[in-house]
Structure formats: C-alpha cells, structure tokens
Amino acid sequence: MAETKTEDLKTTPLDALHRALGARMVPFAGYAMPVQYKLGVLKEHLHTRASAGLFDVSHMGQAVVHGADGVAATLEKLCPGSLAELKAGRMRYSMLLNEQGGILDDLMVTRPAGPLPGFDAADQMMVVVNAACKDADFALIESALAEGQTLTILADRALLALQGPKAVDALAKLVPGVTTLTFMTADVFTWEGADLFISRSGYTGEDGFEISVPNEKAEALANALLADELVEAIGLGARDSLRLEAGLPLYGHDIDETTNPVEAALTFAIGKRRKMDRDFRGEEEIMRDLFDGAIRTRVALLPEGRGIAREGSKILSLDGTEIGTVTSGTFAPSLERPIAMGLVDSEYAKEGTSLSIELRGKPVAAIVTPLPFVPHNYVRASK
Amino acid sequence: MSTYYTEDHEWIRVDGDTGTVGISNYAQEQLGDIVFVEVPEEGRELTKGDEAAVVESVKAASEVYAPVSGSVVETNSALEADPALVNSDAEGEGWFFTMTIADESELEGLMDEAAYQAMIEG
C-alpha cells in the first residue's frame, strides 16, 4: 500500500519521530497521525496497561481563556458544569452544549494553579478540546467572551500523554515534582528550561499524565521518555481500544450534537448549583430528560463470541425489533473479547438486558453491562 | 508443490488434487493485528470467488474468497485460540483451510509468486 499522502494533512511536532519509529500514519481530523508503531495495536494496548505508553495528542486544541474576571462564568454560558467552584490546580471534564442541550464537544477545563507562564495574573482557565471540533469550539467560546476577555490558542505547544501504572515512575525521573499531583490536578513544571503544563489525567482509565510542552521541546521530551525501557510509543489504534475498555465516550461517535448529557449517560458533568439554578444551555430539555427519563440511552454491550460489533451495526431486541445502533466497538485486548457501546431505546438500557447485534447480516447475542469494562486505576488524593 | 496467488491476496498451495488456502503476508501486514478468523465448515462446497472465510482485525473485517472451486476438507483449529498466527506466519502456520480442487484449469488464472510480488510492488 502506498504511504499515506501527507501534503494536504497537518503535522504535529512529532511527525518526523513517528516516521523514524516506523509508525503507520493515517489521516485523522486533518492531521497525519500514527495509528500504530512496530509493536502493533494489541501489544501497544497491553503495554499501556502494564507499564507506560506515550501518545502524541498534539492535534487536540489547547487554549487559555483569560482577562477580565468571570472567565468561569463565560465558560458556564456554554458548559453545564459548576466551573466557578473549580479550585486552583484542579480540572474537570465538561461539554460544550448547543441551545437544545446537544453536545457540541467534550473537553477538559483546568483552573491553573497560578498564572500560566506567558499569561499575567488575570483570571484564566485552560481548555483542551477534540481535534475535529477545535475550530468550531474556539469560535463558539470567542462568541461568548465578556468584555476584556480573550481566547488565546496555544499554537506553540504540543500535547503528549503518558499513561499506565509506571507513567509516574518514568515521568518523575525527568520531572520529580509530578509525584505531588493526584487525579485531575495540574501544575506547571520546568524541564530543560521549558515550561510544561502537566495534569494527572488521561483517556485510558489508567493513572497517567497529559503534558503540554513547547513545540520546540516536544521531540526531546518524547525521546527522553522513550529512552526509558518502561515507555513505548502508542498509536491512535490502541488509544481507541484503551478508552473504550475504560468506558469513555468518543465525540462524534458515542456522543454528538444529537445527544444531550442525559442520553449520553454523562449527567455527572451537570453541576449541582447549575441544576438548582437551571441556568445552563438546553436546561429545559435536559431537566425534562433527567426527571422523565430520556428516550434513548448510551449503554455498554458485551457481544458473544469473537466477532467485533462495529460502529453502525444495528441493535435488536430479542423479538427482532431494531432498537438502537452501535456507536463504538472493538476487540478488547485486556479482556480478549469484543466490547461495544451503543445508543438504545431507554427501555432496553437496564444492565443485564439481553439484546442482539447484527454482525455481517447475522444476529449475535449481546448483554447490557455496567461501565467501565476494565476498572479504572486513578491515583486519587487520600482523604 | 506450487503456490498460486489471487488478486485479493489469497494463496493456495497445491499438492496433488488438494490445496491449502490462506492470506498473503502482504495482506496480514495491511490488516494489522488479527483477532478472529471465521473459517468455513468442513465439507462446504465452494465455487471460485465465493466468500469462504472472514478475517477480523482490530481495524476491519475482510472477506477471504475461494481461489478455486472445490470442497473444504480440513480447517486450521489453531486459529481459534491463536488468530495472531495469521500475522506471525500467514503463509505457513496461519493457513485457513484445505480444499479439494474440482477444476485444475482454474489455477491457470492465478499468479505465481513472482507475478504476485510484482503486483503488490506495482
């Protein structure tokens, strides 16, 4: 097969490194990205759960909203979370909603521990959004800015993720201070003269870190981590099977503009104060679904056998009626069986419900199962 | 014994009037990690070009077509426990099934190894 044409695709600062490592490059959200390296998807996945995997996620959008007081309130115009309560150095998963409460994107919002390098002491919050949506997301946030506030896209920064039980050991050799972070906390650290914005978070269900690094230091940081025998380079193929095992939704597949947080089974992201004040986008539709139940619900499914239930496969009730669609599906290396997520009519969403999935024209039995498929290993602060 | 290749990256290794069928090394490389192989039932009658087997990788499911007409004699039971054999030894231990060859003349339409290599490099 001819090598993927990359003239029309954007590249990250690690592009040359990926190719030097023998990555198979594919187009993803307008970027040339590594889907796997020489180990292959299965081994890369298993290595991440056993040791430490290094991912290039520089295609994602990083930005800082800053300026006049009330940055959290600005974001709350678009997000249903109680972001004003976010303390310094803490971060939260949230969503950008449209006026009917449909999800435009999911994102991480961080209240920096202190003023970020390059930004003065003004009110500020950092956001990381999905690559495919970043242009639209940033335009939306810009439209919501109050007087005196600015959105600054961190175009000069790459984003690496180091995930797995040994991630902290590997990263602490370079940046000793990261051992002070716990799940969903963030701070700024220095490495070889560069400012790294590091959070203890990720998209795999394992302990790990996301590291925002200046573009010109990205390759050096990646090489320093890869030099550690604990660390292997991991591609997007394994990233997908890892997040699916962890029960994490993928925007554009499991959640999209036609799903609100109730249908998406993400109601934890609606803040308590916000529910009381009923002051978030789409609150009428969302509160109605919270009280009365949504018509459809995102569920996790365990198909029988070894065939993979892929996105778009029909989900049927036992009497053969079509009652939903598979939104994500893959082979779970850590479970050695296929797993899937889908959107089904809510009366079939209860755990233990028997359904069937149409695989290549034939019905295969599947059961609704709790999430996550594989337990999370987050390192939380001890109380 | 002679090995013939199809345009769809199957191979058949002919020994008298039976052949062993699998997918080429090039094909397994393109597919990535293989997690499941669905082989035909023993005794199944195949016409050249029929969907004979399915190979499922993390990326996608791909049909494997019968390179010639005949009936399925034996299937590779090792693939159930270890589908990765197709990745590690596609043209050896990763064989899918053996079959009788109903019509030897159908082999004439297939490529030899040199022609197949030329096709994938071209």
Side-chain angles (χ1 to χ4, degrees):
Chain A
M1 199 184 266
E3 201 181 286
T4 311
K5 283 212 193 71
T6 54
E7 299 96 45
D8 305 324
L9 295 171
K10 291 180 265 198
T11 56
T12 72
L14 296 187
D15 186 76
L17 177 59
H18 297 319
R19 292 170 198 278
L21 291 173
R24 180 174 308 173
M25 305 297 283
V26 295
F28 186 86
Y31 282 81
M33 295 300 288
V35 70
Q36 63 176 73
Y37 299 83
K38 292 205 174 116
L39 278 182
V41 175
L42 294 183
K43 293 205 176 88
E44 288 172 26
H45 175 117
L46 294 171
H47 181 89
T48 305
R49 295 233 184 274
S51 187
L54 181 66
F55 305 73
D56 177 11
V57 288
S58 304
H59 57 320
M60 299 184 75
Q62 302 176 72
V64 178
V65 184
H66 60 107
D69 277 359
V71 166
T74 292
L75 291 174
E76 284 190 8
K77 287 186 208 167
L78 308 169
C79 306
S82 298
L83 301 177
E85 283 85 321
L86 210 46
K87 295 198 177 74
R90 309 204 84 98
M91 62 198 296
R92 201 161 280 180
Y93 172 82
S94 195
M95 292 160 279
L96 296 170
L97 302 179
N98 66 20
E99 310 244 0
Q100 295 76 43
I103 303 170
L104 293 170
D105 199 8
D106 60 354
L107 73 164
M108 295 301 264
V109 181
T110 304
R111 164 86 65 191
L116 289 169
F119 294 86
D120 57 26
D123 195 16
Q124 58 198 251
M125 296 191 84
M126 181 168 163
V127 297
V128 178
V129 300
N130 284 302
C133 311
K134 61 183 176 180
D135 293 342
D137 291 349
F138 292 151
L140 178 66
I141 295 172
E142 267 176 347
S143 73
L145 294 172
E147 184 87 30
Q149 292 176 347
T150 311
L151 171 88
T152 298
I153 298 171
L154 302 179
D156 57 345
R157 290 186 155 267
L159 191 64
L160 270 50
L162 187 67
Q163 301 280 304
K166 306 280 192 222
V168 63
D169 298 337
L171 188 55
K173 288 175 198 167
L174 306 179
V175 188
V178 298
T179 55
T180 63
L181 294 175
T182 54
F183 183 56
M184 300 294 261
T185 66
D187 207 339
V188 178
F189 301 86
T190 314
W191 176 74
E192 295 199 351
D195 292 313
L196 306 183
F197 307 166
I198 303 182
S199 66
R200 198 157 189 168
S201 67
Y203 195 46
T204 62
E206 298 298 325
D207 181 30
F209 302 85
E210 297 207 334
I211 308 158
S212 174
V213 51
N215 288 338
E216 63 273 14
K217 293 294 282 185
E219 193 176 306
L221 180 60
N223 278 323
L225 287 166
L226 290 170
D228 192 327
E229 65 171 8
L230 295 173
V231 181
E232 290 288 347
I234 313 294
L236 293 183
R239 184 167 165 83
D240 191 49
S241 51
L242 285 160
R243 68 93 191 166
L244 189 48
E245 282 187 352
L248 303 172
L250 174 61
Y251 188 76
H253 299 258
D254 309 300
I255 57 178
D256 62 24
E257 214 171 330
T258 71
T259 57
N260 69 33
V262 185
E263 291 167 313
L266 296 172
T267 53
F268 72 86
I270 306 171
K272 207 160 82 170
R273 164 178 54 86
R274 311 299 305 280
K275 271 189 252 184
M276 291 195 308
D277 293 350
R278 301 188 69 140
D279 66 347
F280 50 93
R281 272 192 153 194
E283 66 83 18
E284 203 180 300
E285 292 87 344
I286 291 172
M287 295 309 287
R288 173 204 67 207
D289 282 356
L290 261 179
F291 288 129
D292 299 341
I295 295 174
R296 316 175 296 166
T297 307
R298 178 174 67 102
V299 295
L301 299 158
L302 283 174
E304 249 175 49
R306 307 254 316 182
I308 297 176
R310 300 195 190 259
E311 184 177 346
S313 302
K314 294 188 189 145
I315 303 175
L316 311 169
S317 59
L318 290 182
D319 64 16
T321 318
E322 193 176 327
I323 50 98
T325 314
V326 173
T327 55
S328 281
T330 192
F331 180 78
S334 301
L335 302 172
E336 293 187 334
R337 63 168 307 153
I339 56 175
M341 269 189 221
L343 212 50
V344 298
D345 292 347
S346 296
E347 56 262 45
Y348 297 96
K350 222 168 68 171
E351 283 168 24
T353 304
S354 291
L355 297 170
S356 71
I357 304 177
E358 211 174 75
L359 295 197
R360 287 195 310 280
K362 287 181 284 201
V364 169
I367 195 154
V368 177
T369 195
L371 282 174
F373 295 98
V374 170
H376 295 161
N377 290 317
Y378 301 138
V379 172
R380 298 181 189 270
S382 33
K383 298 259 182 253
Chain B
M1 279 198 295
S2 301
T3 306
Y4 301 87
Y5 292 81
T6 71
E7 279 179 359
D8 295 312
H9 312 286
E10 294 99 10
W11 54 265
I12 177 165
R13 187 148 48 244
V14 178
D15 189 2
D17 56 7
T18 59
T20 306
V21 179
I23 64 170
S24 69
N25 187 54
Y26 173 81
Q28 71 76 18
E29 242 171 33
Q30 295 310 305
L31 289 171
D33 289 331
I34 288 165
V35 298
F36 177 53
V37 180
E38 193 182 287
V39 291
E41 322 81 70
E42 289 174 10
R44 167 127 172 258
E45 294 291 331
L46 294 169
T47 305
K48 178 183 160 89
D50 275 354
E51 184 191 301
V54 180
V55 57
E56 186 114 58
S57 74
V58 177
K59 213 167 70 172
S62 298
E63 283 89 28
V64 175
Y65 302 102
V68 297
S69 308
S71 58
V72 178
V73 178
E74 202 190 331
T75 61
N76 186 353
S77 53
L79 294 184
E80 169 137 13
D82 193 7
L85 275 174
V86 182
N87 291 119
S88 58
D89 194 9
E91 303 194 19
E93 297 294 315
W95 61 278
F96 283 24
F97 59 90
T98 63
M99 63 184 297
T100 62
I101 299 173
D103 180 359
E104 260 191 22
S105 70
E106 284 181 337
L107 293 171
E108 283 157 37
L110 306 181
M111 289 175 271
D112 63 14
E113 183 161 356
Y116 177 68
Q117 287 300 324
M119 182 191 93
I120 57 182
E121 278 156 33

